[in-house]
Amino acid sequence: MSIAVSLPANDKTEWWCKMLRDLMPDWDIYPINQVPDPDAVTYSVVWRPATGAMTPFRNLKAIVSLGAGIDHVLADKELPQDVPIIRTVGTDLTQRMKEYIALHVLRHHRELPQIQANQVAHLWDQIIVPPAPERRVGIMGLGNLGAAAAQLLAQIGFDVVGWSRSPKTIEGVTTYSGDEAFGAFLEGTEILVCLLPLTESTLGILNADTFNRLRRGACIINAARGSHMVDSDLIDALGSGQISGATLDVFHVEPLPKDHPFWDHPRITVTPHVASMIDAPTGSKIVAKNIRAFEDAGTVADLADAKRGY
Ligand code: NDP
Ligand code: OXD
Protein backbone atom coordinates (compact mmCIF):
# COMPACT_ATOMS: atom_id res chain seq x y z
CA MET A 1 0.00 0.00 0.00
CA SER A 2 2.35 2.69 -1.22
CA ILE A 3 1.87 5.96 -3.04
CA ALA A 4 4.60 7.53 -5.20
CA VAL A 5 4.53 11.31 -5.48
CA SER A 6 6.19 13.17 -8.35
CA LEU A 7 6.29 16.91 -9.02
CA PRO A 8 8.99 18.71 -11.00
CA ALA A 9 10.30 20.52 -7.87
CA ASN A 10 11.66 18.46 -4.95
CA ASP A 11 10.41 20.88 -2.30
CA LYS A 12 6.87 20.69 -3.70
CA THR A 13 7.08 16.87 -3.78
CA GLU A 14 8.08 16.89 -0.10
CA TRP A 15 5.24 19.30 0.71
CA TRP A 16 2.62 17.07 -0.93
CA CYS A 17 4.11 13.95 0.72
CA LYS A 18 3.87 15.56 4.13
CA MET A 19 0.27 16.66 3.62
CA LEU A 20 -0.76 13.22 2.32
CA ARG A 21 1.04 11.37 5.16
CA ASP A 22 -0.94 13.45 7.70
CA LEU A 23 -4.21 12.51 6.00
CA MET A 24 -3.39 8.90 5.12
CA PRO A 25 -1.37 7.50 8.06
CA ASP A 26 -2.08 3.92 7.00
CA TRP A 27 -0.29 4.42 3.65
CA ASP A 28 3.42 4.56 2.86
CA ILE A 29 3.98 7.74 0.89
CA TYR A 30 7.29 8.42 -0.86
CA PRO A 31 8.78 10.88 -3.30
CA ILE A 32 9.01 8.92 -6.53
CA ASN A 33 12.80 8.68 -6.42
CA GLN A 34 12.77 7.20 -2.88
CA VAL A 35 10.30 4.34 -3.38
CA PRO A 36 11.87 1.24 -1.75
CA ASP A 37 9.60 -1.36 -3.39
CA PRO A 38 8.05 -0.37 -6.76
CA ASP A 39 5.74 -3.41 -6.70
CA ALA A 40 4.03 -2.08 -3.56
CA VAL A 41 3.03 1.16 -5.29
CA THR A 42 -0.66 1.13 -6.19
CA TYR A 43 -1.19 4.87 -6.78
CA SER A 44 1.00 7.61 -8.17
CA VAL A 45 0.25 11.29 -7.57
CA VAL A 46 1.87 13.36 -10.28
CA TRP A 47 2.30 16.66 -12.04
CA ARG A 48 4.28 16.43 -15.28
CA PRO A 49 5.93 13.08 -14.58
CA ALA A 50 9.11 12.28 -16.49
CA THR A 51 8.87 9.95 -19.48
CA GLY A 52 8.83 6.36 -18.24
CA ALA A 53 8.39 7.38 -14.60
CA MET A 54 5.36 5.09 -14.20
CA THR A 55 6.97 2.05 -15.84
CA PRO A 56 8.48 0.53 -12.65
CA PHE A 57 5.07 0.48 -10.93
CA ARG A 58 3.55 -2.72 -12.27
CA ASN A 59 0.66 -2.77 -9.78
CA LEU A 60 -0.71 0.72 -10.30
CA LYS A 61 -4.46 0.95 -9.76
CA ALA A 62 -4.69 4.61 -10.77
CA ILE A 63 -2.62 7.68 -11.57
CA VAL A 64 -3.73 10.86 -9.84
CA SER A 65 -3.12 14.03 -11.86
CA LEU A 66 -2.49 16.98 -9.56
CA GLY A 67 -4.75 19.24 -11.55
CA ALA A 68 -7.68 19.36 -13.94
CA GLY A 69 -5.67 18.60 -17.07
CA ILE A 70 -4.30 15.15 -17.87
CA ASP A 71 -2.28 16.13 -20.96
CA HIS A 72 0.91 16.20 -18.88
CA VAL A 73 0.30 12.56 -17.89
CA LEU A 74 -0.64 11.42 -21.41
CA ALA A 75 2.47 13.14 -22.77
CA ASP A 76 4.50 10.21 -21.39
CA LYS A 77 4.88 7.97 -24.42
CA GLU A 78 5.78 5.06 -22.11
CA LEU A 79 2.70 5.48 -19.92
CA PRO A 80 1.26 2.07 -18.95
CA GLN A 81 -1.92 1.52 -20.97
CA ASP A 82 -5.34 1.32 -19.36
CA VAL A 83 -4.38 2.64 -15.92
CA PRO A 84 -7.22 4.99 -14.91
CA ILE A 85 -6.32 8.67 -14.47
CA ILE A 86 -8.03 10.65 -11.71
CA ARG A 87 -8.25 14.44 -12.01
CA THR A 88 -7.84 16.66 -8.94
CA VAL A 89 -10.58 19.24 -9.18
CA GLY A 90 -13.00 20.95 -6.84
CA THR A 91 -14.58 24.16 -5.66
CA ASP A 92 -11.23 25.69 -4.75
CA LEU A 93 -9.84 25.22 -8.29
CA THR A 94 -13.05 26.54 -9.83
CA GLN A 95 -13.20 29.55 -7.50
CA ARG A 96 -9.62 30.56 -8.32
CA MET A 97 -10.21 30.24 -12.06
CA LYS A 98 -13.39 32.31 -11.83
CA GLU A 99 -11.40 35.06 -10.08
CA TYR A 100 -8.67 34.97 -12.73
CA ILE A 101 -11.07 35.06 -15.67
CA ALA A 102 -13.22 37.83 -14.18
CA LEU A 103 -10.10 39.89 -13.38
CA HIS A 104 -8.69 39.69 -16.89
CA VAL A 105 -11.98 39.98 -18.78
CA LEU A 106 -12.82 43.13 -16.81
CA ARG A 107 -9.29 44.45 -17.29
CA HIS A 108 -9.59 44.15 -21.08
CA HIS A 109 -13.21 45.31 -21.09
CA ARG A 110 -12.36 48.50 -19.14
CA GLU A 111 -9.11 49.03 -21.14
CA LEU A 112 -6.96 49.05 -18.04
CA PRO A 113 -3.69 48.41 -19.95
CA GLN A 114 -4.30 51.62 -21.95
CA ILE A 115 -5.27 53.57 -18.83
CA GLN A 116 -2.06 52.43 -17.10
CA ALA A 117 0.01 53.42 -20.14
CA ASN A 118 -1.73 56.81 -20.11
CA GLN A 119 -0.84 57.28 -16.46
CA VAL A 120 2.83 56.67 -17.25
CA ALA A 121 2.52 59.39 -19.94
CA HIS A 122 0.56 61.71 -17.54
CA LEU A 123 -2.25 61.60 -20.08
CA TRP A 124 -5.83 62.39 -18.96
CA ASP A 125 -7.88 60.51 -21.56
CA GLN A 126 -11.41 59.55 -20.51
CA ILE A 127 -11.84 56.32 -22.46
CA ILE A 128 -15.52 55.40 -22.66
CA VAL A 129 -16.17 51.68 -23.02
CA PRO A 130 -19.53 50.04 -23.78
CA PRO A 131 -21.40 48.54 -20.82
CA ALA A 132 -20.90 44.80 -20.29
CA PRO A 133 -24.15 43.73 -22.01
CA GLU A 134 -22.76 45.22 -25.22
CA ARG A 135 -19.49 43.29 -24.94
CA ARG A 136 -19.46 39.69 -26.16
CA VAL A 137 -17.20 37.27 -24.28
CA GLY A 138 -16.66 33.81 -25.78
CA ILE A 139 -15.65 30.90 -23.57
CA MET A 140 -14.01 27.91 -25.27
CA GLY A 141 -14.70 24.84 -23.12
CA LEU A 142 -17.73 24.58 -20.86
CA GLY A 143 -16.48 22.01 -18.35
CA ASN A 144 -16.01 22.59 -14.62
CA LEU A 145 -14.03 25.76 -15.18
CA GLY A 146 -15.49 27.17 -18.38
CA ALA A 147 -19.12 26.79 -17.28
CA ALA A 148 -18.43 28.46 -13.93
CA ALA A 149 -16.55 31.34 -15.57
CA ALA A 150 -19.29 31.78 -18.18
CA GLN A 151 -21.96 31.90 -15.50
CA LEU A 152 -20.07 34.48 -13.46
CA LEU A 153 -19.47 36.71 -16.48
CA ALA A 154 -23.14 36.48 -17.39
CA GLN A 155 -24.03 37.52 -13.84
CA ILE A 156 -21.75 40.56 -14.20
CA GLY A 157 -23.78 41.41 -17.28
CA PHE A 158 -21.61 40.40 -20.25
CA ASP A 159 -23.08 38.98 -23.44
CA VAL A 160 -21.59 35.51 -22.95
CA VAL A 161 -21.33 32.76 -25.55
CA GLY A 162 -19.77 29.35 -24.90
CA TRP A 163 -18.52 26.46 -26.99
CA SER A 164 -18.11 22.80 -26.09
CA ARG A 165 -18.07 19.39 -27.76
CA SER A 166 -21.53 18.33 -26.59
CA PRO A 167 -24.55 20.64 -26.18
CA LYS A 168 -24.91 22.51 -22.87
CA THR A 169 -27.52 24.63 -21.15
CA ILE A 170 -26.14 27.38 -18.89
CA GLU A 171 -28.36 30.14 -17.57
CA GLY A 172 -27.63 33.47 -19.25
CA VAL A 173 -25.17 31.95 -21.73
CA THR A 174 -25.71 31.28 -25.45
CA THR A 175 -24.09 27.93 -26.14
CA TYR A 176 -22.69 26.31 -29.28
CA SER A 177 -21.35 22.81 -29.72
CA GLY A 178 -19.24 20.90 -32.18
CA ASP A 179 -16.76 21.89 -34.87
CA GLU A 180 -19.52 23.00 -37.23
CA ALA A 181 -20.66 25.68 -34.75
CA PHE A 182 -17.18 27.07 -34.05
CA GLY A 183 -17.48 29.90 -36.61
CA ALA A 184 -20.88 31.02 -35.30
CA PHE A 185 -19.50 30.98 -31.76
CA LEU A 186 -16.54 33.19 -32.71
CA GLU A 187 -18.52 35.70 -34.72
CA GLY A 188 -18.87 38.98 -32.82
CA THR A 189 -16.72 37.81 -29.89
CA GLU A 190 -14.54 40.60 -28.50
CA ILE A 191 -12.90 38.80 -25.59
CA LEU A 192 -12.06 35.14 -26.22
CA VAL A 193 -11.25 32.93 -23.23
CA CYS A 194 -9.69 29.49 -23.71
CA LEU A 195 -10.53 26.89 -21.05
CA LEU A 196 -10.25 23.79 -23.23
CA PRO A 197 -8.30 20.66 -22.42
CA LEU A 198 -5.28 20.05 -24.64
CA THR A 199 -6.12 17.21 -27.03
CA GLU A 200 -5.36 16.34 -30.64
CA SER A 201 -8.42 18.33 -31.73
CA THR A 202 -7.67 21.45 -29.68
CA LEU A 203 -3.90 21.66 -30.28
CA GLY A 204 -3.11 25.00 -31.97
CA ILE A 205 -6.75 26.11 -31.94
CA LEU A 206 -5.76 29.68 -31.06
CA ASN A 207 -4.44 30.43 -34.54
CA ALA A 208 -4.74 33.04 -37.31
CA ASP A 209 -7.93 31.53 -38.70
CA THR A 210 -9.60 31.68 -35.29
CA PHE A 211 -8.36 35.24 -34.65
CA ASN A 212 -9.65 36.42 -38.04
CA ARG A 213 -13.17 35.27 -37.22
CA LEU A 214 -13.33 37.44 -34.09
CA ARG A 215 -14.40 41.06 -34.08
CA ARG A 216 -11.46 43.28 -35.07
CA GLY A 217 -9.50 44.40 -32.00
CA ALA A 218 -10.57 41.40 -29.89
CA CYS A 219 -8.59 40.26 -26.83
CA ILE A 220 -7.47 36.73 -26.00
CA ILE A 221 -7.19 35.14 -22.57
CA ASN A 222 -5.51 31.73 -22.55
CA ALA A 223 -5.67 30.02 -19.18
CA ALA A 224 -5.74 26.47 -20.58
CA ARG A 225 -2.52 25.19 -22.17
CA GLY A 226 0.32 26.87 -24.06
CA SER A 227 0.02 24.45 -26.95
CA HIS A 228 -3.45 25.76 -27.75
CA MET A 229 -1.69 28.88 -29.03
CA VAL A 230 0.21 29.33 -32.28
CA ASP A 231 2.61 31.91 -30.85
CA SER A 232 3.69 33.45 -34.16
CA ASP A 233 0.04 33.87 -35.25
CA LEU A 234 -0.67 35.82 -32.07
CA ILE A 235 2.32 38.11 -32.59
CA ASP A 236 1.20 38.72 -36.21
CA ALA A 237 -2.42 39.36 -35.18
CA LEU A 238 -1.28 41.84 -32.51
CA GLY A 239 0.86 43.55 -35.15
CA SER A 240 -2.03 43.89 -37.60
CA GLY A 241 -4.50 45.07 -34.94
CA GLN A 242 -6.84 42.11 -35.49
CA ILE A 243 -6.07 41.26 -31.86
CA SER A 244 -5.52 44.20 -29.51
CA GLY A 245 -4.31 42.44 -26.37
CA ALA A 246 -3.71 39.08 -24.75
CA THR A 247 -3.40 37.65 -21.27
CA LEU A 248 -1.46 34.41 -21.26
CA ASP A 249 -1.07 32.13 -18.26
CA VAL A 250 0.25 29.05 -20.06
CA PHE A 251 3.03 28.48 -22.58
CA HIS A 252 4.56 25.84 -24.85
CA VAL A 253 7.59 25.73 -22.56
CA GLU A 254 7.23 26.53 -18.86
CA PRO A 255 8.83 28.46 -17.29
CA LEU A 256 8.54 30.75 -20.33
CA PRO A 257 12.10 31.05 -21.69
CA LYS A 258 13.74 34.36 -20.76
CA ASP A 259 14.22 35.34 -24.40
CA HIS A 260 10.63 34.62 -25.51
CA PRO A 261 9.05 37.63 -27.30
CA PHE A 262 5.90 37.42 -25.15
CA TRP A 263 7.79 38.79 -22.12
CA ASP A 264 8.39 42.21 -23.65
CA HIS A 265 5.37 42.56 -25.90
CA PRO A 266 3.50 45.74 -24.91
CA ARG A 267 0.11 44.15 -25.55
CA ILE A 268 0.70 40.84 -23.82
CA THR A 269 0.31 40.19 -20.11
CA VAL A 270 2.23 37.14 -18.92
CA THR A 271 1.20 35.32 -15.75
CA PRO A 272 3.25 32.28 -14.64
CA HIS A 273 0.64 29.48 -14.78
CA VAL A 274 -1.11 30.70 -11.67
CA ALA A 275 -4.67 31.14 -12.94
CA SER A 276 -5.80 28.36 -10.65
CA MET A 277 -3.37 26.20 -8.75
CA ILE A 278 -4.37 23.69 -6.13
CA ASP A 279 -2.15 24.07 -3.08
CA ALA A 280 -1.04 21.00 -1.13
CA PRO A 281 -3.17 21.63 2.00
CA THR A 282 -6.37 21.81 -0.08
CA GLY A 283 -5.41 19.42 -2.87
CA SER A 284 -4.17 16.66 -0.58
CA LYS A 285 -7.65 16.39 0.97
CA ILE A 286 -9.14 15.87 -2.51
CA VAL A 287 -6.44 13.36 -3.45
CA ALA A 288 -6.91 11.39 -0.21
CA LYS A 289 -10.69 11.37 -0.66
CA ASN A 290 -10.37 10.20 -4.28
CA ILE A 291 -7.89 7.43 -3.48
CA ARG A 292 -10.08 6.15 -0.64
CA ALA A 293 -13.17 6.26 -2.88
CA PHE A 294 -11.29 4.46 -5.66
CA GLU A 295 -10.17 1.78 -3.20
CA ASP A 296 -13.79 1.30 -2.07
CA ALA A 297 -15.65 1.54 -5.38
CA GLY A 298 -13.04 1.05 -8.12
CA THR A 299 -14.06 4.37 -9.64
CA VAL A 300 -14.54 8.06 -8.77
CA ALA A 301 -16.48 10.98 -10.22
CA ASP A 302 -13.29 12.76 -11.25
CA LEU A 303 -12.07 9.97 -13.52
CA ALA A 304 -10.69 11.28 -16.82
CA ASP A 305 -11.27 9.59 -20.14
CA ALA A 306 -7.79 8.96 -21.50
CA LYS A 307 -9.10 7.97 -24.95
CA ARG A 308 -10.96 11.28 -25.24
CA GLY A 309 -7.89 13.06 -23.84
CA TYR A 310 -9.58 14.87 -20.93
P1 NDP B 1 -13.34 19.73 -18.28
O1 NDP B 1 -12.85 18.42 -18.74
O2 NDP B 1 -14.28 19.78 -17.11
O3 NDP B 1 -14.04 20.49 -19.49
C1 NDP B 1 -13.50 20.57 -20.76
C2 NDP B 1 -14.48 21.28 -21.67
O4 NDP B 1 -13.88 21.42 -22.96
C3 NDP B 1 -15.78 20.51 -21.87
O5 NDP B 1 -16.87 21.38 -21.92
C4 NDP B 1 -15.57 19.84 -23.23
O6 NDP B 1 -16.77 19.58 -23.94
C5 NDP B 1 -14.78 20.92 -23.93
N1 NDP B 1 -14.05 20.36 -25.08
C6 NDP B 1 -13.13 19.37 -25.10
N2 NDP B 1 -12.71 19.13 -26.35
C7 NDP B 1 -13.40 19.97 -27.14
C8 NDP B 1 -13.44 20.18 -28.54
N3 NDP B 1 -12.67 19.46 -29.38
N4 NDP B 1 -14.28 21.11 -29.02
C9 NDP B 1 -15.08 21.82 -28.20
N5 NDP B 1 -15.09 21.67 -26.86
C10 NDP B 1 -14.27 20.75 -26.35
O7 NDP B 1 -12.06 20.63 -17.96
P2 NDP B 1 -11.88 21.76 -16.86
O8 NDP B 1 -12.90 22.80 -17.07
O9 NDP B 1 -11.75 21.15 -15.52
O10 NDP B 1 -10.41 22.31 -17.27
C11 NDP B 1 -10.15 22.78 -18.59
C12 NDP B 1 -8.67 22.95 -18.78
O11 NDP B 1 -8.20 24.09 -18.08
C13 NDP B 1 -7.78 21.82 -18.26
O12 NDP B 1 -7.76 20.74 -19.15
C14 NDP B 1 -6.44 22.51 -18.15
O13 NDP B 1 -5.75 22.40 -19.37
C15 NDP B 1 -6.79 23.98 -17.90
N6 NDP B 1 -6.46 24.41 -16.54
C16 NDP B 1 -5.57 25.44 -16.37
C17 NDP B 1 -5.27 25.91 -15.13
C18 NDP B 1 -4.35 27.06 -14.95
O14 NDP B 1 -3.98 27.38 -13.81
N7 NDP B 1 -3.96 27.76 -15.99
C19 NDP B 1 -5.87 25.32 -13.92
C20 NDP B 1 -6.78 24.26 -14.20
C21 NDP B 1 -7.06 23.81 -15.46
P3 NDP B 1 -17.82 18.51 -23.37
O15 NDP B 1 -18.42 19.19 -22.14
O16 NDP B 1 -18.80 18.38 -24.44
O17 NDP B 1 -17.06 17.28 -23.04
C1 OXD C 1 -4.41 22.11 -14.09
C2 OXD C 1 -3.46 23.23 -14.07
O1 OXD C 1 -4.55 21.41 -15.09
O2 OXD C 1 -3.16 23.74 -12.97
O3 OXD C 1 -5.09 21.92 -13.06
O4 OXD C 1 -2.99 23.65 -15.13
Side-chain angles (χ1 to χ4, degrees), residues 68-69 87 97 141-146 163-166 168 195-197 201-202 223-225 249-250 273 275-276 308 310:
R87 307 194 309 143
M97 187 58 87
L142 296 174
N144 288 335
L145 303 178
W163 181 65
S164 52
R165 234 163 54 125
S166 55
K168 297 274 181 289
L195 283 171
L196 287 167
S201 23
T202 65
R225 285 292 181 264
D249 187 54
V250 286
H273 202 142
S276 181
R308 201 178 55 166
Y310 66 99

Side-chain angles (χ1 to χ4, degrees), residues 203-272:
L203 180 81
I205 196 165
L206 297 173
N207 58 36
D209 186 47
T210 298
F211 301 152
N212 287 338
R213 294 181 191 209
L214 300 170
R215 186 166 290 181
R216 188 166 171 78
C219 295
I220 309 290
I221 298 171
N222 186 15
R225 285 292 181 264
S227 298
H228 286 128
M229 179 67 75
V230 178
D231 290 2
S232 54
D233 285 5
L234 177 63
I235 299 277
D236 290 350
L238 286 163
S240 73
Q242 176 58 24
I243 298 298
S244 64
T247 296
L248 309 177
D249 187 54
V250 286
F251 305 92
H252 286 265
V253 177
E254 295 181 6
L256 184 63
K258 293 236 181 272
D259 60 351
H260 196 286
F262 285 171
W263 281 115
D264 294 318
H265 198 291
R267 294 187 170 277
I268 293 179
T269 298
V270 168
T271 59

Side-chain angles (χ1 to χ4, degrees), residues 47 66-69 93 225 273 276-277:
W47 179 257
L66 282 179
L93 192 81
R225 285 292 181 264
H273 202 142
S276 181
M277 279 173 58

